[in-house]
């Protein structure tokens, strides 16, 4: 997916698959002290930098028993990961507890299950993301619509100020704007 942050503030969550009882699910966020961070029961990775007012492509990829974080096509680090992720509910744009929301936009949010889309350095996509084999969720945020285009019956609930916006977009007419308050999208299986 793509993320565009407008503020350098502490802890801005891109997504969080945890809930009050499932601390072993992944989350991805960044902050102005440690850069990009991945949490799966503990911090698995922190580092790299992010720039505000810049689109960044990110991909968290599980390939066998190793998971890696790529930012703008470059591996930021990898770690051993034997977890089978089965959480069918997660938040986009904030922590599961509605804290630490992102200040900015997210575009082309895609989840692919069972296929490691990237396994080494790559050139970030130069056009909109599409549903590929094993796509479980695709939120293109196009033309003001916030609809799952993966054909897998995911329910997307928008809350507290999250909205489609044409102010910042990446390859499409709109992206999803998060105002940094409690704005978020919640995704769950039907």
């Amino acid at each position: 997916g793509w993320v565009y942050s407008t503020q350098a503030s502490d802890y801005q969550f891109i997504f969080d698959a945890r809930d009050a009882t499932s601390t072993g699910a992944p989350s991805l966020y960044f902050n102005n002290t440690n850069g990009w961070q991945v949490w799966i029961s503990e911090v698995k990775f922190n580092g790299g930098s992010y720039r505000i007012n810049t689109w960044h492509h990110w991909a968290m990829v599980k390939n066998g028993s190793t998971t890696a974080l790529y930012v703008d096509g470059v591996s930021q680090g990898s770690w051993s990961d034997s977890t089978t992720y089965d959480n069918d509910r997660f938040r986009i744009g904030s922590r599961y507890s509605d804290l630490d929301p992102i200040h900015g936009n997210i575009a082309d949010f895609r989840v692919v299950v069972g296929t490691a889309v990237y396994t080494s350095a790559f050139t970030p996509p130069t056009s909109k993301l599409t549903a590929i084999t094993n796509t479980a969720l695709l939120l293109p945020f196009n033309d003001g619509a916030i609809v799952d285009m993966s054909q897998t019956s995911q329910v997307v609930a928008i809350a507290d100020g999250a909205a489609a916006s044409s102010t910042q977009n990446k390859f499409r007419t709109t992206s999803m704007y998060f105002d940094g308050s409690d704005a978020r999208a919640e995704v769950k299986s039907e």
Side-chain angles (χ1 to χ4, degrees):
W2 292 91
V3 62
Y4 183 100
S5 177
T6 58
Q7 293 184 18
S9 61
D10 215 14
Y11 297 105
Q12 294 186 61
F13 274 71
I14 297 170
F15 77 88
D16 192 351
R18 301 171 300 163
D19 60 27
T21 60
S22 66
T23 58
S27 61
L28 174 63
Y29 54 98
F30 50 85
N31 70 45
N32 55 7
T33 304
N34 296 314
W36 295 86
Q37 293 188 290
V38 174
W39 173 276
I40 306 171
S41 297
E42 63 186 10
V43 172
K44 295 294 184 182
F45 171 81
N46 68 50
S49 62
Y50 74 95
R51 293 179 312 279
I52 63 170
N53 300 317
T54 301
W55 281 104
H56 292 285
H57 181 267
W58 61 271
M60 198 166 89
V61 180
K62 186 167 191 268
N63 187 12
S65 60
T66 301
T67 298
L69 174 65
Y70 294 90
V71 176
D72 298 329
V74 177
S75 175
Q76 302 297 301
S78 63
W79 54 93
S80 177
D81 187 358
S82 60
T83 305
T84 300
Y85 300 107
D86 60 1
N87 194 333
D88 62 353
R89 174 185 210 118
F90 60 93
R91 294 274 169 99
I92 299 171
S94 78
R95 186 187 296 248
Y96 74 89
S97 60
D98 299 338
L99 299 173
D100 303 318
I102 191 166
H103 300 264
N105 299 68
I106 293 176
D108 277 355
F109 190 99
R110 181 172 66 186
V111 176
V112 178
V113 177
T115 302
V117 177
Y118 307 108
T119 57
S120 62
F122 61 93
T123 300
T126 56
S127 61
K128 58 189 176 184
L129 297 181
T130 59
I132 59 175
T133 302
N134 295 325
T135 297
L137 177 70
L138 176 61
L139 298 174
F141 307 125
N142 198 34
D143 295 329
I146 301 171
V147 178
D148 176 22
M149 301 301 288
S150 70
Q151 308 299 314
T152 61
S153 300
Q154 301 287 339
V155 174
V156 181
I158 308 306
D160 297 329
S165 170
S166 60
T167 303
Q168 286 296 329
N169 52 39
K170 188 73 175 175
F171 307 128
R172 299 181 189 268
T173 57
T174 56
S175 62
M176 188 162 183
Y177 171 71
F178 298 87
D179 65 6
S181 62
D182 288 339
R184 66 194 178 281
E186 186 168 326
V187 179
K188 59 184 175 179
S189 297
E190 279 190 318

